Amino acid sequence: MADYNTYRSAQSVGTRTGAVDEGLRAYMNKVYGLMAVGMGVTAVAAYGISSAAVDSAGQLTQLGTAIYASPLKWVIVFAPLLMVFAFGAALNRLSVQAATMLFYGFAALMGLSISSIFLVYTPFSIVQTFLVTAIAFSGLSLWGYTTKKDISGWGSFLIMGVIGLIVASIVNIFLQSSGMQFAISA
């Protein structure tokens, strides 16, 4: 027998759904805004450190030698990972402001850790990679936010696709086929 307390009017359910949707939208806007600022901090830190590490002749400065050519480079590489573990352990004891500042510190440390990409790759390829990733993330986020479809069954199919791409990439190391490289990239 049904409990009469479980029945609600259609109007109250619609109102509650609208309130939940507005709350979710505000929360997601805050999360995306925080992540965008964090990405900006990482980008500025990476570019700033790499610019200070190389002089106008393309040679490493004292800072560049200390960061990229000494044992300090291993501390810089693994520091973000250690910070993730520390952040995870302390998260429940931190205030919102302290957690936000720790996040921005982590973003700057990630910028320091990945600053060497500016020494290896061209600015065009870095910007191109960033834009493609940002567009893919935005599109997938929008689709995931607006769709009501359950995509949990896609997991095994997508894992097999990733394994296939890895195998094709390894085979293409030996074949050196530009057509296969284009197909893998696509």
Side-chain angles (χ1 to χ4, degrees), residues 23-33 145:
L24 178 62
R25 181 175 290 117
Y27 178 76
M28 294 305 291
N29 285 338
K30 186 176 179 181
V31 168
Y32 285 142
Y145 181 72

PDB file of all heavy atoms in Angstrom, residues 23-33 145:
ATOM      1  N   GLY A  23      20.466  26.137  -8.708  1.00  0.00           N
ATOM      2  CA  GLY A  23      21.562  25.914  -7.771  1.00  0.00           C
ATOM      3  C   GLY A  23      22.710  25.179  -8.425  1.00  0.00           C
ATOM      4  O   GLY A  23      23.880  25.512  -8.212  1.00  0.00           O
ATOM      5  N   LEU A  24      22.394  24.166  -9.228  1.00  0.00           N
ATOM      6  CA  LEU A  24      23.431  23.412  -9.932  1.00  0.00           C
ATOM      7  C   LEU A  24      24.143  24.307 -10.935  1.00  0.00           C
ATOM      8  O   LEU A  24      25.369  24.262 -11.047  1.00  0.00           O
ATOM      9  CB  LEU A  24      22.819  22.199 -10.640  1.00  0.00           C
ATOM     10  CG  LEU A  24      23.785  21.342 -11.455  1.00  0.00           C
ATOM     11  CD1 LEU A  24      24.851  20.731 -10.555  1.00  0.00           C
ATOM     12  CD2 LEU A  24      23.014  20.251 -12.197  1.00  0.00           C
ATOM     13  N   ARG A  25      23.391  25.118 -11.649  1.00  0.00           N
ATOM     14  CA  ARG A  25      23.990  26.029 -12.625  1.00  0.00           C
ATOM     15  C   ARG A  25      24.949  27.008 -11.932  1.00  0.00           C
ATOM     16  O   ARG A  25      26.067  27.233 -12.398  1.00  0.00           O
ATOM     17  CB  ARG A  25      22.904  26.791 -13.384  1.00  0.00           C
ATOM     18  CG  ARG A  25      23.464  27.739 -14.423  1.00  0.00           C
ATOM     19  CD  ARG A  25      22.389  28.405 -15.271  1.00  0.00           C
ATOM     20  NE  ARG A  25      21.784  27.423 -16.152  1.00  0.00           N
ATOM     21  CZ  ARG A  25      20.505  27.062 -16.122  1.00  0.00           C
ATOM     22  NH1 ARG A  25      19.688  27.610 -15.267  1.00  0.00           N
ATOM     23  NH2 ARG A  25      20.041  26.168 -16.961  1.00  0.00           N
ATOM     24  N   ALA A  26      24.527  27.570 -10.803  1.00  0.00           N
ATOM     25  CA  ALA A  26      25.384  28.509 -10.069  1.00  0.00           C
ATOM     26  C   ALA A  26      26.639  27.800  -9.560  1.00  0.00           C
ATOM     27  O   ALA A  26      27.748  28.346  -9.636  1.00  0.00           O
ATOM     28  CB  ALA A  26      24.617  29.128  -8.907  1.00  0.00           C
ATOM     29  N   TYR A  27      26.476  26.588  -9.059  1.00  0.00           N
ATOM     30  CA  TYR A  27      27.621  25.820  -8.557  1.00  0.00           C
ATOM     31  C   TYR A  27      28.591  25.493  -9.685  1.00  0.00           C
ATOM     32  O   TYR A  27      29.808  25.652  -9.531  1.00  0.00           O
ATOM     33  CB  TYR A  27      27.116  24.539  -7.892  1.00  0.00           C
ATOM     34  CG  TYR A  27      28.221  23.654  -7.388  1.00  0.00           C
ATOM     35  CD1 TYR A  27      28.904  23.966  -6.224  1.00  0.00           C
ATOM     36  CD2 TYR A  27      28.584  22.512  -8.081  1.00  0.00           C
ATOM     37  CE1 TYR A  27      29.931  23.162  -5.762  1.00  0.00           C
ATOM     38  CE2 TYR A  27      29.615  21.697  -7.637  1.00  0.00           C
ATOM     39  CZ  TYR A  27      30.268  22.028  -6.468  1.00  0.00           C
ATOM     40  OH  TYR A  27      31.282  21.228  -6.020  1.00  0.00           O
ATOM     41  N   MET A  28      28.073  25.038 -10.813  1.00  0.00           N
ATOM     42  CA  MET A  28      28.942  24.690 -11.943  1.00  0.00           C
ATOM     43  C   MET A  28      29.640  25.932 -12.495  1.00  0.00           C
ATOM     44  O   MET A  28      30.808  25.866 -12.886  1.00  0.00           O
ATOM     45  CB  MET A  28      28.147  23.978 -13.042  1.00  0.00           C
ATOM     46  CG  MET A  28      27.629  22.614 -12.629  1.00  0.00           C
ATOM     47  SD  MET A  28      28.911  21.500 -12.034  1.00  0.00           S
ATOM     48  CE  MET A  28      29.809  21.179 -13.519  1.00  0.00           C
ATOM     49  N   ASN A  29      28.955  27.070 -12.537  1.00  0.00           N
ATOM     50  CA  ASN A  29      29.600  28.311 -12.971  1.00  0.00           C
ATOM     51  C   ASN A  29      30.757  28.673 -12.052  1.00  0.00           C
ATOM     52  O   ASN A  29      31.813  29.117 -12.505  1.00  0.00           O
ATOM     53  CB  ASN A  29      28.599  29.461 -13.034  1.00  0.00           C
ATOM     54  CG  ASN A  29      27.687  29.370 -14.240  1.00  0.00           C
ATOM     55  OD1 ASN A  29      28.011  28.726 -15.230  1.00  0.00           O
ATOM     56  ND2 ASN A  29      26.536  30.013 -14.144  1.00  0.00           N
ATOM     57  N   LYS A  30      30.566  28.472 -10.751  1.00  0.00           N
ATOM     58  CA  LYS A  30      31.632  28.758  -9.790  1.00  0.00           C
ATOM     59  C   LYS A  30      32.812  27.814  -9.987  1.00  0.00           C
ATOM     60  O   LYS A  30      33.970  28.240  -9.974  1.00  0.00           O
ATOM     61  CB  LYS A  30      31.087  28.647  -8.368  1.00  0.00           C
ATOM     62  CG  LYS A  30      32.064  29.056  -7.307  1.00  0.00           C
ATOM     63  CD  LYS A  30      31.433  29.023  -5.931  1.00  0.00           C
ATOM     64  CE  LYS A  30      32.451  29.410  -4.881  1.00  0.00           C
ATOM     65  NZ  LYS A  30      31.881  29.366  -3.541  1.00  0.00           N
ATOM     66  N   VAL A  31      32.533  26.532 -10.201  1.00  0.00           N
ATOM     67  CA  VAL A  31      33.604  25.551 -10.415  1.00  0.00           C
ATOM     68  C   VAL A  31      34.368  25.870 -11.696  1.00  0.00           C
ATOM     69  O   VAL A  31      35.604  25.895 -11.698  1.00  0.00           O
ATOM     70  CB  VAL A  31      33.028  24.114 -10.465  1.00  0.00           C
ATOM     71  CG1 VAL A  31      34.057  23.124 -10.976  1.00  0.00           C
ATOM     72  CG2 VAL A  31      32.536  23.692  -9.093  1.00  0.00           C
ATOM     73  N   TYR A  32      33.665  26.121 -12.785  1.00  0.00           N
ATOM     74  CA  TYR A  32      34.330  26.437 -14.048  1.00  0.00           C
ATOM     75  C   TYR A  32      35.110  27.747 -13.952  1.00  0.00           C
ATOM     76  O   TYR A  32      36.190  27.871 -14.517  1.00  0.00           O
ATOM     77  CB  TYR A  32      33.333  26.492 -15.201  1.00  0.00           C
ATOM     78  CG  TYR A  32      32.871  25.133 -15.658  1.00  0.00           C
ATOM     79  CD1 TYR A  32      31.566  24.914 -16.035  1.00  0.00           C
ATOM     80  CD2 TYR A  32      33.753  24.065 -15.708  1.00  0.00           C
ATOM     81  CE1 TYR A  32      31.150  23.665 -16.461  1.00  0.00           C
ATOM     82  CE2 TYR A  32      33.345  22.817 -16.127  1.00  0.00           C
ATOM     83  CZ  TYR A  32      32.039  22.622 -16.506  1.00  0.00           C
ATOM     84  OH  TYR A  32      31.631  21.383 -16.924  1.00  0.00           O
ATOM     85  N   GLY A  33      34.587  28.723 -13.243  1.00  0.00           N
ATOM     86  CA  GLY A  33      35.306  29.979 -13.052  1.00  0.00           C
ATOM     87  C   GLY A  33      36.591  29.775 -12.264  1.00  0.00           C
ATOM     88  O   GLY A  33      37.652  30.302 -12.622  1.00  0.00           O
ATOM     89  N   TYR A 145      26.147  18.179 -19.489  1.00  0.00           N
ATOM     90  CA  TYR A 145      25.255  18.948 -18.634  1.00  0.00           C
ATOM     91  C   TYR A 145      23.826  18.951 -19.161  1.00  0.00           C
ATOM     92  O   TYR A 145      22.885  18.931 -18.390  1.00  0.00           O
ATOM     93  CB  TYR A 145      25.776  20.381 -18.512  1.00  0.00           C
ATOM     94  CG  TYR A 145      24.936  21.263 -17.623  1.00  0.00           C
ATOM     95  CD1 TYR A 145      24.933  21.088 -16.251  1.00  0.00           C
ATOM     96  CD2 TYR A 145      24.150  22.264 -18.164  1.00  0.00           C
ATOM     97  CE1 TYR A 145      24.165  21.891 -15.434  1.00  0.00           C
ATOM     98  CE2 TYR A 145      23.377  23.081 -17.362  1.00  0.00           C
ATOM     99  CZ  TYR A 145      23.388  22.891 -15.992  1.00  0.00           C
ATOM    100  OH  TYR A 145      22.617  23.686 -15.193  1.00  0.00           O
TER     101      TYR A 145
END
